[in-house]
Amino acid sequence: MSRVALVTGGSRGIGAAISKALQDAGYTVAATYAGNDEAAQAFTGETGIKTYKWSVADYDACAAGIRQIEEELGPIAVLVNNAGITRDAMFHKMTPQQWKEVIDTNLTGVFNMTHPVWSGMRDRKFGRIINISSINGQKGQAGQANYSAAKAGDLGFTKALAQEGARAGITVNAICPGYIATEMVKAIDEKVLAERIIPQIPVGRLGEPEEIARTVVFLASDQAGFITGSTITANGGQYFA
Ligand SMILES: NC(=O)c1ccc[n+]([C@@H]2O[C@H](COP(=O)([O-])OP(=O)(O)OC[C@H]3O[C@@H](n4cnc5c(N)ncnc54)[C@H](OP(=O)(O)O)[C@@H]3O)[C@@H](O)[C@H]2O)c1
């Protein structure tokens, strides 16, 4: 029986590439999303991967959704915490709401999704938790005090939980992507991309979602069992943590 992998925000962008790569690697994949039904339906139509709608910011919804997926597909062996949002503003203009939404989704959401799968992974003596953080959680970014704080928090969470999971066969790792060619980044004005963003990236291009996805597939594998508590930087040389 193939292992079950759950990818949050797995219907679009980097998450969609992760879901597809895990499916190609032989996993039974479930993808969650927040509200874009159209994209989720198109994704399921294209890939056959089941999609489930709830907010990672809601603990009870996470626990119920995970129960449903485990009943339908089997115990979750791999959890990829990929769902994330931005609510950018310079700090003097940032509202408590912008702060809260980003912390609730990008940091508390990782707790909310990991907590309900943790006991089962401990009982089965196997698990893989892979958290998608960000270069901006490592270096900080003006206009993203909320996002940088949440993504840095994900790295602390990763390191602490790696220590707790080690003897139970559970690895916990983080990936910090730099600029990746998702719809969001490709929507940036071409001139801004060419003159201001690409020159900051030593390899001279944006990353591809599939490059993050391949890293996830490796971390999920049995071969990566000695790697835990790591932060893998995937940013084309833009920043060395
Ligand atoms: N793109 C980059 O360059 C970049 C760089 C560094 C790090 N990252 C990180 O990589 C991850 C994926 O980014 P992306 O650019 O692929 O994002 P994206 O294209 O905006 O997709 C985000 C996905 O997360 C889902 N989502 C958002 N809020 C959610 C919530 N509360 N509950 C459940 N699902 C939720 C969305 O669902 P809907 O489809 O329903 O909206 C969507 O499936 C994020 O954590 C992001 O911070 C991205």
Side-chain angles (χ1 to χ4, degrees):
M1 267 247 310
S2 65
R3 284 180 177 151
V4 176
L6 172 55
V7 183
T8 69
S11 58
R12 284 202 294 122
I14 295 171
I18 294 171
S19 297
K20 286 190 227 172
L22 286 167
Q23 185 186 48
D24 289 348
Y27 295 84
T28 300
V29 179
T32 78
Y33 68 104
N36 190 334
D37 296 318
E38 207 179 313
Q41 277 162 22
F43 177 77
T44 300
E46 179 202 333
T47 61
I49 293 172
K50 281 190 164 186
T51 45
Y52 300 82
K53 177 161 78 167
W54 75 79
S55 173
V56 297
D58 178 341
Y59 183 87
D60 292 339
C62 292
I66 286 166
R67 253 195 321 274
Q68 184 193 344
I69 290 170
E70 293 203 318
E71 277 164 20
E72 287 178 19
L73 305 178
I76 291 162
V78 178
L79 170 65
V80 185
N81 285 309
N82 165 78
I85 58 167
T86 52
R87 296 287 183 269
D88 296 354
M90 293 304 278
F91 191 62
H92 63 285
K93 290 187 178 163
M94 187 173 284
T95 64
Q97 184 67 16
Q98 288 172 319
W99 172 267
K100 188 173 173 347
E101 282 179 20
V102 169
I103 299 293
D104 285 355
T105 303
N106 297 7
L107 179 57
T108 309
V110 173
F111 168 84
N112 291 345
M113 287 298 299
T114 307
H115 197 257
V117 302
W118 190 250
S119 295
M121 287 182 175
R122 277 167 51 93
D123 292 345
R124 294 185 295 275
K125 296 273 178 285
F126 182 85
R128 296 282 186 265
I129 309 284
I130 300 155
N131 299 319
I132 307 301
S133 175
S134 168
I135 184 176
N136 292 343
Q138 298 175 295
K139 72 173 186 60
Q141 176 61 46
Q144 289 195 325
N146 49 3
Y147 184 85
S148 299
K151 293 295 190 181
D154 291 335
L155 300 181
F157 175 85
T158 298
K159 292 173 194 173
L161 211 55
Q163 295 176 37
E164 294 192 24
R167 288 293 170 100
I170 307 170
T171 67
V172 188
N173 291 290
I175 301 171
C176 286
Y179 278 99
I180 305 299
T182 58
E183 275 167 44
M184 188 179 73
V185 170
K186 283 192 276 192
I188 298 173
D189 183 74
E190 231 170 84
K191 201 164 137 67
V192 174
L193 260 181
E195 291 175 12
R196 303 224 334 245
I197 294 179
I198 307 277
Q200 293 174 30
I201 307 172
V203 303
R205 63 171 176 86
L206 300 173
E208 294 298 327
E210 291 73 20
E211 295 181 290
I212 305 303
R214 283 194 291 273
T215 312
V216 170
V217 171
F218 171 62
L219 288 174
S221 70
D222 287 323
Q223 287 85 341
F226 203 58
I227 301 174
T228 193
S230 291
T231 300
I232 298 188
T233 292
N235 62 28
Q238 189 181 348
Y239 182 76
F240 302 122

